[in-house]
Amino acid sequence: LVLDIAILLPLPEYYARMDLLVAAVKGSTLQPGVEEVLIPGETRWRNYHQQIREGVQMDSTTIASLSALAKEAKIATPW
């Protein structure tokens, strides 16, 4: 589903409302054993930024498979 938010309300108002919604959700009372309330997509964005900084983590099986493919294609690997 794709919506053009600007048809429904001005974008600055939409962003202001979203900021209030996110602040309300993030400021919710935590349940025992819960460290933080996350909004949809937040974990993915955190992982993305971590991978930009540190690189993508791969298990040894994946690395071996990619290394074999690279060797077959005569392509140097960066690891």
Side-chain angles (χ1 to χ4, degrees), residues 22-39:
V22 169
V25 170
K26 300 289 280 176
S28 298
T29 302
L30 299 177
Q31 295 296 310
V34 176
E35 295 179 17
E36 179 182 13
V37 175
L38 300 173
I39 59 172

Side-chain angles (χ1 to χ4, degrees), residues 49-69:
H49 289 292
Q50 180 181 359
Q51 289 172 355
I52 293 296
R53 286 190 313 273
E54 302 171 15
V56 177
Q57 299 295 315
M58 292 187 286
D59 60 80
S60 59
T61 303
T62 301
I63 292 172
S65 295
L66 291 174
S67 295
L69 286 171

Side-chain angles (χ1 to χ4, degrees), residues 1 7-8 11 14-15 18-19 25 29-32 35 40 45 48-50 59 68-69:
L1 176 67
I7 291 174
L8 303 173
L11 287 179
Y14 167 77
Y15 290 124
M18 288 305 297
D19 286 344
V25 170
T29 302
L30 299 177
Q31 295 296 310
E35 295 179 17
W45 276 109
Y48 167 77
H49 289 292
Q50 180 181 359
D59 60 80
L69 286 171

